Structure formats: structure tokens, C-alpha cells
Amino acid sequence: SNPFYDFYMKAKEEWKLGFQDKSSHSKSSNDVVPRTTDFLERISSITGETPFHTFLENKQWVTPSLNLREHFQPPSLSNPFDDVFTKAKQEWPLDLEHFLRDKSHTISSNGMVSTITKLLERVATKTEKTAFQTIVEEEKLLTTSMEHQDSFPLPPSGLSNPSDDIYRKIRNEWPLAVQNFLRDQGYLRAIVDGLVVVGIPTLMNAYPEIIKNFVELSIPWIQPSSSPVSRSFEAKRYGNSKGQVVHILQPPSSESRGVVSFVHGGAWGSGRPWMYRIVARPFLELNYTVAVLGYRTWPDADVDGQVNDLRDAMKLVKTECSEAIGKSSILVGHSAGAHLGMMHLLRQDKNGEESEVPVDAFVGMCGVYCLNSHFSYESNRGVEEISPMKPVCGPTPEEFELNSPARTVEDGGDLQLPP
């Protein structure tokens, strides 16, 4: 209903796209009229067409303004809420304004209230003026939220860990295509898995017995006969991929109390069963059979493929340890492994499938159960584009919700899950 829209429609029809894409942010509001005239003349000279220029003159939307442009002024600050911004411009240091502008993507929405509060305190300290803080408090823009912020489940803030500065620096300075290439071509997986090997000397310094324990678990026949920890170790494959393998360790006694199946972590994109073999020792000492479950990591599989791998790995454990698993079956997951373990149980229950491998108890350690919240945490740290979580479990918030165990449990009704 607004005839002025004809202006834009005519421009869309007659202006070449290259001219429409020119950056208007380089033009001040006071200078718009003469620049528009120059712009139209350039179009006319390049395209050889003048209908739009003529159209404007006929409608008299530009030419009268040319004679009166010195009288045009920016709109006055008629909105009292803008006093906040005006006051901030006067009293906030320039570097603080630029910090808010350039680094706001590192602050999650959940942490915004506390972040703003801290920034206001910094402003008051740095400028020795509290007028802006007083305005905000008097308008009660923050105080109400601050009273209730403790009731919100906030993810840990990545900004609080200075060691993550290197990731934020990579995120800000490396091209996105490079970050995604490293992640999606398997180079990140190779780097992370390689760092585990490089870190072995550090581990030996912290835990001098770790290599001895690892070797004894890997080659049971070299254990002292007086106090053996494991009766046997086998690596069993259930697929063609390197990750589709299960490491099975039997306790010293032939009468196993049950099976502990361990799903390793690694942000869905790294880790091998051998790296976690040492976790078997305390369970073996309690006379449990231990199965360390491997699965395809990104970029070889997404969350659906990894959950399917877990199902197939559990079937292999049942075949190889049928007697022990009939006594007791405990599924343990760490980090991404806890997420996959829970998804395995939920999908079986949600689809109404009768589990081929019974699970009597589930233990999740440092598990990721709400993916949107964890993505916010990864964003704070600066790793959201190089971490495999986004392509494995997302990339959209809706897919994060679909693959979040917490959401599935909340919406699942009468779920039949183990303790």
C-alpha cells in the first residue's frame, strides 16, 4: 500500500545486480542524496539506459531534495531508551565497545546476564563513572534477571579457561574452510590420536606403573603367576573399518561375575580401544569380564552409524561372552561414549525393539546429554567448527535436539530403561 515501495521494485527490475550489491555502509546519511544522483548517472553511462533516472525525476522524489539537502539532519534522539547507548558511547572505553562488538559470538546466551554484569563492573572500575550502570539498574533491565540466574542450568563457560585462548585464536584467524577440512578429512583425528602417543612419557611420569599394567593386560602370559590380573586378551572384529573392533579381557577366574562393556569418548571423532585398555584393570580385579567397544569415528560415521556400531559390538560381546553376560551386563560410557551408550538404549526402547543384548545397568561418566547446551559450550571455547560434534550430531539445533538423550527421555513417556 506504500507507493514509495515502487522505488525499490523499479530498482530491482532495472539495476544490474552488481550495483545492488555495492556496500551502502560506506555512505553517510547526510551524503545519500548526492551519492544517489552520482550512482544513477554511473548506471546510465554504463548500461546506456536511463528509464530509472527519468522515472525518479518524473516522480520528483530526488530532484527537489537536491536543493534542500543542507537542511536534512539525522533523526534526533527522541527515544529515551537510546540514552543508554549515548551514555555508553561517552563513558565506555573504545576498546571495551570493540570487545563487545567483535567477541560477542564467544558469549552464550545463557551466560549473557553474568557477562554483562561483569562488564559493567569493569566499566565502573576503569572509568570511575557509574552513571551507565546506574541507568541500567534503575531501569531494572538486569536486576530481575540477576535474581533468578542461579535457577538456570548454565553450561560451564569456556571463557573462564585461559588455556582455550589458542582455540579461540584459531577460530578467529583460520579460514572456516581450513577448520572444516581438517575435521572432515580425518586430519584432526590423526592429530588427536597422535598426541595420545606423544603424551605417553608425560603419563609415565605421573603414573609410573601405567606401562607395566598396560603390557600385562595386553600380554597376559607375562604376568606374575602369583597375582595375575587377566586370564586372556583378544581383539575381535565385527566390521571392516579399523574402529569396528572389540577388545575383550577375561578375569583370572574362569567364573566371571558378568560383563562390563566400556564405550570410549573422543568427541565422536577420535580414540581407539587400545587407548582405554587400562580402565579394565579394576573391573578385572573384581572378577568381571571387560569389553572395550570400538566404533567408527568421524568422518567415517555420523551418530546413526556410531549407534549402529555400538549395537553390533554388543552383539559380538554376547556371542563371545554368552555365559558371563547372562549373569550381569553393565554398559559404561565416557564423554561422547556416554552419549552414544544412552542413545543406543533409548533408540532400542523408543523403537519397541527387544534388546538382543540385555543391559542391567548403565553408567555415564562426563556424558553429553543435551547437545544444544554442549554446542554453546564448544562455541565459548572456540572449537565448534573444528569439533566433530556439529557434523556428527547436527548440524541444526533441531537435529541436536533429536539426538539429545535428555530431550528423548523428557518426551519419551513410559521408557523401559536400566538403572
Side-chain angles (χ1 to χ4, degrees):
S1 61
N2 187 344
F4 192 72
Y5 288 152
D6 296 342
F7 183 102
Y8 302 112
M9 294 305 297
K10 197 72 175 175
K12 181 179 178 182
E13 293 168 4
E14 300 186 2
W15 286 29
K16 288 191 174 181
L17 187 61
F19 287 101
Q20 297 181 43
D21 287 342
K22 294 294 182 180
S23 54
S24 60
H25 65 271
S26 63
K27 305 170 181 63
S28 69
S29 56
N30 287 335
D31 211 17
V32 158
V33 172
R35 282 180 178 270
T36 300
T37 305
D38 295 340
F39 202 36
L40 292 170
E41 291 174 353
R42 286 175 58 197
I43 292 172
S44 176
S45 64
I46 293 175
T47 65
E49 299 175 359
T50 60
F52 184 59
H53 196 176
T54 305
F55 172 79
L56 284 176
E57 289 179 341
N58 290 341
K59 292 292 182 180
Q60 297 184 339
W61 283 343
V62 170
T63 48
S65 301
L66 290 172
N67 300 324
L68 302 172
R69 63 177 179 264
E70 65 273 10
H71 299 292
F72 283 91
Q73 298 294 333
S76 63
L77 297 177
S78 56
N79 186 345
F81 188 76
D82 287 339
D83 293 344
V84 170
F85 304 114
T86 305
K87 200 72 174 173
K89 180 179 179 181
Q90 294 170 353
E91 299 187 0
W92 285 33
L94 187 60
D95 62 342
L96 188 57
E97 294 183 51
H98 288 178
F99 171 82
L100 283 170
R101 180 194 69 194
D102 299 335
K103 301 297 183 183
S104 60
H105 63 278
T106 64
I107 305 171
S108 69
S109 56
N110 285 338
M112 190 60 75
V113 170
S114 59
T115 302
I116 292 175
T117 305
K118 291 175 183 176
L119 283 171
L120 289 172
E121 291 172 354
R122 284 178 56 194
V123 172
T125 303
K126 194 167 184 178
T127 64
E128 297 183 352
K129 296 179 182 179
T130 60
F132 181 61
Q133 187 176 7
T134 303
I135 289 174
V136 175
E137 289 177 349
E138 287 179 355
E139 294 293 333
K140 298 182 179 178
L141 299 177
L142 284 181
T143 48
T144 303
S145 299
M146 288 167 62
E147 291 171 2
H148 300 287
Q149 66 181 0
D150 290 339
S151 62
F152 290 96
L154 302 178
S157 172
L159 296 176
S160 62
N161 188 349
S163 65
D164 286 335
D165 289 345
I166 185 172
Y167 302 125
R168 287 188 282 272
K169 189 175 180 65
I170 288 173
R171 191 259 306 277
N172 293 336
E173 297 182 3
W174 287 24
L176 184 60
V178 172
Q179 298 180 53
N180 291 168
F181 177 81
L182 289 172
R183 178 194 69 193
D184 299 336
Q185 297 302 316
Y187 291 107
L188 178 69
R189 177 173 62 189
I191 291 169
V192 174
D193 287 348
L195 287 173
V196 173
V197 178
V198 172
I200 288 177
T202 304
L203 249 144
M204 291 174 62
N205 287 334
Y207 306 98
E209 295 293 314
I210 195 167
I211 293 298
K212 173 178 174 292
N213 291 337
F214 181 84
V215 172
E216 288 180 352
L217 292 174
S218 305
I219 313 173
W221 57 266
I222 70 168
Q223 299 174 87
S225 56
S226 57
S227 58
V229 176
S230 175
R231 176 164 40 95
S232 68
F233 162 73
E234 293 180 288
K236 296 285 186 176
R237 307 203 64 81
Y238 62 90
N240 296 324
S241 174
K242 286 194 296 185
Q244 293 174 312
V245 62
V246 177
H247 289 183
I248 300 174
L249 299 96
Q250 298 288 356
S253 171
S254 59
E255 294 295 324
S256 174
R257 294 172 59 186
V259 177
V260 174
S261 300
F262 180 83
V263 189
H264 68 79
W268 301 271
S270 63
R272 302 288 184 198
W274 70 264
M275 299 174 184
Y276 297 85
R277 193 176 304 158
I278 197 73
V279 304
R281 188 179 180 93
F283 300 110
L284 292 168
E285 291 174 347
L286 293 171
N287 211 35
Y288 280 94
T289 298
V290 178
V292 184
L293 311 182
Y295 54 91
R296 290 170 296 165
T297 52
W298 182 260
D300 295 333
D302 61 7
V303 65
D304 294 326
Q306 292 176 2
V307 172
N308 289 339
D309 280 1
L310 191 54
R311 178 198 61 203
D312 294 341
M314 292 288 286
K315 289 180 183 178
L316 184 143
V317 173
K318 181 182 179 182
T319 301
E320 297 293 328
C321 313
S322 56
E323 185 177 345
I325 207 167
K327 297 178 182 178
S328 176
S329 175
I330 303 169
L331 182 61
V332 180
H334 171 249
S335 190
H339 167 262
L340 294 172
M342 187 60 125
M343 288 298 293
H344 164 68
L345 297 174
L346 288 169
R347 287 192 178 180
Q348 285 193 142
D349 186 88
K350 192 173 182 180
N351 295 336
E353 300 174 3
E354 187 165 344
S355 176
E356 296 185 43
V357 183
V359 175
D360 301 311
F362 172 73
V363 180
M365 299 182 293
C366 308
V368 180
Y369 306 115
C370 180
L371 294 174
N372 275 312
S373 176
H374 193 70
F375 185 72
S376 174
Y377 172 60
E378 287 199 344
S379 299
N380 282 341
R381 297 187 62 205
V383 299
E384 75 278 13
E385 290 296 342
I386 205 168
S387 165
M389 191 190 91
K390 185 176 178 181
V392 171
C393 301
T396 67
E398 292 76 19
E399 288 173 298
F400 283 151
E401 284 288 284
L402 184 66
N403 293 312
S404 292
R407 179 62 65 195
T408 306
V409 169
E410 187 176 289
D411 299 338
D414 185 21
L415 295 171
Q416 303 297 316
L417 296 175

